[in-house]
C-alpha cells in the first residue's frame, strides 16, 4: 500500500491497484495504490479510511478486461459483483448473504471482480453471462467504502479482451490506459 498526498474531507481519494495505472494522474490528487487483488484493495482502503479523515469520494480508477468483443474505452460501473465467491452456495449453507452485488450508479457497466487475472476464452465466456468487464479490485474497494459510509465510484478503462493473450495485451496497453484515465480524472475531478 502506498498513499501519495493527503486525504482531505473536501477532496476525492483516487484508488488504483498499481503505479503503472496512476502514472499520469494530476499531482495534486491524493492517490492510494493498493496492490493487486481483493485482499490488498480492501485492506488498504479500510486502513486509510479508519485513519481518517474520510474523503468526499472514493474513486477507483483502473484497467479492466472486456468480456465482450469490441468493448473499448472508459466505462463507469453501475453494479459490481464477485465472480469468485459463490454467494448462492454460501446462502444455502448458512442462510446468510455474503458478497452480494453492490449497486453504485443508475446506469453503466456490470463489473465482475475476482482474484484471478482472466486470460482464457472459456473463463471470459462464462463471466460474460453475468458481466461486461472484469477486474481484480473493484468489488473490494466498493465494499470497504460502503462499510465506512463513503461514496464510491468505479471507472474502468478497457485494457484487453480477457481471453487468450490478455496478459500480453495488458502490458502493452497499460500506459495508454493510464493516460486515458488521467485525462478522464482531469475532466471530472477539477
Amino acid at each position: 500500500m502506498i498513499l501519495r498526498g493527503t486525504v482531505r474531507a473536501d477532496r476525492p481519494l483516487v484508488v488504483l491497484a498499481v503505479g503503472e495505472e496512476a502514472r499520469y494522474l494530476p499531482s495534486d490528487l491524493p492517490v492510494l495504490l493498493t496492490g493487486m487483488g481483493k485482499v490488498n484493495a480492501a485492506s488498504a482502503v479500510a486502513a486509510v479510511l479508519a485513519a481518517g479523515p474520510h474523503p468526499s469520494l472514493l474513486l477507483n480508477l483502473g484497467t479492466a478486461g472486456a468480456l465482450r468483443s469490441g468493448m473499448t474505452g472508459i466505462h463507469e460501473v453501475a453494479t459490481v459483483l464477485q465472480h469468485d465467491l459463490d454467494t448462492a452456495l454460501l446462502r444455502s449453507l448458512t442462510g446468510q448473504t455474503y458478497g452480494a452485488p453492490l449497486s453504485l450508479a443508475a446506469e453503466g457497466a456490470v463489473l465482475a471482480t475476482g482474484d484471478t487475472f482472466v486470460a482464457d476464452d472459456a473463463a471470459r465466456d462464462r463471466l460474460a453471462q453475468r458481466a461486461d468487464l472484469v477486474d481484480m479490485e473493484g468489488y473490494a474497494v466498493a465494499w470497504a467504502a460502503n462499510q465506512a459510509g463513503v461514496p464510491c465510484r468505479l471507472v474502468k478503462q478497457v485494457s484487453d479482451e480477457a481471453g487468450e493473450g490478455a496478459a500480453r495485451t495488458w502490458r502493452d496497453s497499460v500506459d495508454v490506459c493510464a493516460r486515458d484515465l488521467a485525462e478522464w480524472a482531469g475532466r471530472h475531478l477539477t
Side-chain angles (χ1 to χ4, degrees):
M1 173 180 98
I2 299 170
L3 178 60
R4 299 190 317 219
T6 303
V7 178
R8 297 185 350 217
D10 64 339
R11 294 291 315 258
L13 173 62
V14 182
V15 179
L16 303 100
V18 293
E20 291 89 343
E21 296 172 323
R23 182 173 291 138
Y24 302 106
L25 287 173
S27 60
D28 65 329
L29 286 175
V31 172
L32 174 62
L33 302 176
T34 65
M36 288 188 171
K38 293 188 302 185
V39 170
N40 287 330
S43 61
V45 169
V48 168
L49 294 178
H54 286 176
S56 62
L57 171 73
L58 209 69
L59 174 62
N60 176 220
L61 297 178
T63 56
L67 297 173
R68 293 178 179 80
S69 293
M71 193 169 185
T72 62
I74 292 179
H75 301 271
E76 182 147 6
V77 173
T79 303
V80 61
L81 56 92
Q82 294 185 78
H83 71 77
D84 58 355
L85 181 68
D86 193 336
T87 301
L89 175 65
L90 294 176
R91 187 174 37 252
S92 73
L93 293 172
T94 66
Q96 301 292 317
T97 299
Y98 297 96
L102 301 173
S103 295
L104 302 172
E107 57 184 55
V110 176
L111 175 67
T113 297
D115 280 322
T116 302
F117 186 91
V118 177
D120 79 62
D121 294 344
R124 180 196 60 217
D125 294 344
R126 279 191 307 276
L127 287 174
Q129 295 173 22
R130 301 178 1 189
D132 304 306
L133 302 169
V134 63
D135 84 337
M136 296 177 66
E137 298 82 26
Y139 187 94
V141 171
W143 181 85
N146 183 274
Q147 294 298 301
V150 176
C152 182
R153 290 174 73 184
L154 305 182
V155 175
K156 300 296 177 169
Q157 166 71 47
V158 173
S159 59
D160 57 80
E161 286 196 354
E164 301 298 331
R168 183 186 70 254
T169 303
W170 184 88
R171 281 191 299 274
D172 293 344
S173 68
V174 69
D175 192 68
V176 170
C177 291
R179 287 181 191 275
D180 291 346
L181 289 167
E183 181 182 315
W184 185 95
R187 283 194 324 267
H188 292 87
L189 297 180
T190 56

